Amino acid sequence: MSYFTHLECSVPCGAGPFDARQTHHLCTCGMPLLARYDLRAARAWSRESLSGRVASLWRYRELLPVFDGEEPVTLGEGFTPLIHARRLGASLGLPKLYVKDESLNPTNSFKARGQSAAVTRAKYLGAHTLSVPSAGNAANAMSAYAAAAGIPAKVFMPRDVKTPFIRECETYGADITLVDGLITDAGRIAAEHGGPLGWYDVSTLKEPYRVEGKKTMGYEVAEQLGWELPDWILYPTGGGTGMVGMWKAFAEMEAIGWLPHGGKRPRMVSVQAEGCAPIVRALAEGTERAEMWQGARTVADGLRVPKAIGDFLVLRAVRESGGTAIAVPDRAMVEGMIDIGRHEGISAAPEGGAALVALRQLITTGQVTPAHSVVLFNTGGALKYLDALDILR
Ligand SMILES: *Cc1c(COP(=O)(O)O)cnc(C)c1O
């Protein structure tokens, strides 16, 4: 049974609520909308009922944006392994280090989670064409789910994106436009093209459902750790969907009684690249929003987001959690990929490598101690990024 009810402004600005059976992208105030559920009624849903359910994020479907009788567009995304990283942990003096390995998702990154939820909703809202601006992985995931749903996909990526991201979109039959500039430019051009044609825009946080797919990372970490949240979560942050989603998940789980009210929450660490660190800068400067990062450059395509519409939500989550934000140089994150690989046999994207480098920094400053449990997100696999290894030659 679905507890999905309506959409609400994330600010909240006071407008709404908005009808979830109609297409809405942003609030009338221009800010992101979030999906809301009847959490009081959802207290009747027990976490024990999860055992034996499908090993995908749809095991949490009561609190996902599907109505009764609807069938999700799914390729088996989510419920990825939470690997107890004993060898990597030993090298760092951390017995309780875990890697959430998102490389095992369809299309090799956690972007599959958001796209499964967003494309499902778009299908039931009657979308005839889907479009997305992307730094790479979101375009791959959207192309795959659009193909699975039988809806044409239009993707817009920076011209200098690594070739595998372009080729993979081709294999799913997407229509590809390469633009001069960054994901923000791709977003503008996608909107200019698609707006008049009625394309359904699946941009990060410019539709309400990618967050819902990604919040399941929070549910999974809780379930996989036996309903005790870790002390720290290190999360490579671009548009911020996962950060916003996990923080929402923790609040929902408290509201439905799966986690103790006011209980311990993880300190959330936003990991970015030195060449594109708007969240790190905004946190240091104490501002509510992040300013556009000029000249964004990094080998971690997923982190090449100079300005995110949900920046204030990411900053809110980091601050409320007592966490922090750390910028990592490219060379160190590529070394981090290899460190994760050679210690654990996990295929890590530079974004995952960056999380490891940030963790080392927190150990050095004494913020993370051997008593702490730590979940490090490996948000994608290494294969599409192999060119990044050239930085070490
Ligand atoms: C998109 C992406 C990120 C950033 O994710 P957000 O939730 O949008 O902040 C990190 N790593 C990889 C591999 C990505 O593709």
Side-chain angles (χ1 to χ4, degrees):
M1 166 184 169
S2 167
Y3 297 108
F4 183 34
T5 51
H6 65 281
L7 298 170
E8 190 178 82
C9 179
S10 58
V11 175
C13 72
F18 298 89
D19 182 357
R21 297 205 183 248
Q22 286 173 3
T23 300
H24 291 285
H25 280 86
L26 294 170
C27 179
T28 45
C29 74
M31 289 295 118
L33 290 170
L34 294 174
R36 295 298 181 200
Y37 301 82
D38 185 345
L39 296 178
R40 187 182 296 265
R43 293 184 70 89
W45 180 36
S46 78
R47 60 191 197 191
E48 286 71 34
S49 74
L50 295 173
S51 73
R53 284 202 179 188
V54 61
S56 84
L57 62 81
W58 293 101
R59 66 199 278 105
Y60 311 106
R61 73 170 281 159
E62 281 88 336
L63 291 184
L64 287 170
V66 279
F67 292 109
D68 292 341
E70 293 179 346
E71 285 301 322
V73 179
T74 178
L75 296 167
E77 56 292 323
F79 216 57
T80 54
L82 184 69
I83 294 167
H84 189 179
R86 291 187 180 82
R87 298 190 65 238
L88 188 59
S91 79
L92 298 166
L94 292 184
K96 291 188 277 181
L97 174 65
Y98 300 87
V99 176
K100 184 69 170 153
D101 190 9
E102 294 293 298
S103 74
L104 294 173
N105 278 298
T107 73
N108 308 110
S109 88
F110 64 174
K111 290 293 192 300
R113 294 177 182 267
Q115 294 298 342
S116 178
V119 173
T120 295
R121 208 63 252 129
K123 176 181 125 178
Y124 284 104
L125 289 166
H128 58 75
T129 308
L130 303 178
S131 83
V132 78
S134 168
N137 279 317
N140 290 175
M142 200 277 264
S143 303
Y145 286 88
I151 307 174
K154 313 275 183 188
V155 302
F156 295 78
M157 288 181 283
R159 193 174 298 288
D160 61 354
V161 69
K162 294 174 186 59
T163 309
F165 292 105
I166 302 172
R167 293 284 176 258
E168 188 171 350
C169 288
E170 286 175 17
T171 68
Y172 303 125
D175 185 48
I176 303 161
T177 304
L178 299 177
V179 309
D180 295 316
L182 298 172
I183 184 172
T184 34
D185 303 290
R188 182 175 38 79
I189 291 164
E192 280 166 15
H193 274 67
L197 299 172
W199 298 352
Y200 186 101
D201 183 355
V202 204
S203 303
T204 302
L205 284 160
K206 290 188 182 165
E207 62 74 58
Y209 303 113
R210 282 174 64 178
V211 168
E212 295 305 295
K214 272 203 175 167
K215 81 179 179 190
T216 56
M217 294 186 290
Y219 282 84
E220 289 174 22
V221 166
E223 184 180 355
Q224 290 171 323
L225 288 177
W227 307 106
E228 189 171 332
L229 295 175
D231 296 297
W232 295 87
I233 286 181
L234 285 96
Y235 185 82
T237 308
T241 340
M243 204 69 165
V244 174
M246 282 192 279
W247 201 242
K248 183 173 188 280
F250 300 144
E252 287 175 356
M253 284 187 280
E254 287 183 12
I256 64 173
W258 286 15
L259 292 175
H261 219 281
K264 182 191 83 178
R265 293 228 197 142
R267 291 174 192 269
M268 307 294 284
V269 182
S270 213
V271 182
Q272 299 203 297
E274 272 190 358
C276 182
I279 298 293
V280 178
R281 183 172 63 189
L283 194 72
E285 292 177 352
T287 56
E288 200 197 329
R289 302 215 53 155
E291 265 177 61
M292 168 80 87
W293 188 275
Q294 298 300 332
R297 260 182 80 100
T298 169
V299 294
D301 298 74
L303 305 185
R304 206 159 59 132
V305 182
K307 171 79 188 160
I309 187 167
D311 54 7
F312 66 104
L313 298 170
V314 176
L315 286 160
R316 237 187 240 173
V318 170
R319 287 183 176 123
E320 282 177 22
S321 77
T324 186
I326 294 174
V328 174
D330 276 12
R331 194 187 164 86
M333 60 175 92
V334 174
E335 288 167 352
M337 287 169 80
I338 294 172
D339 263 355
I340 295 173
R342 74 191 170 98
H343 281 103
E344 298 295 338
I346 293 170
S347 171
E351 291 85 341
L356 175 60
V357 178
L359 174 58
R360 279 219 182 84
Q361 201 168 309
L362 292 170
I363 294 169
T364 304
T365 57
Q367 287 160 282
V368 169
T369 75
H372 288 159
S373 55
V374 177
V375 172
L376 191 152
F377 270 86
N378 177 41
T379 48
L383 286 181
K384 295 180 210 177
Y385 296 82
L386 293 178
D387 284 356
L389 296 180
D390 290 348
I391 202 174
L392 302 181
R393 297 228 157 76

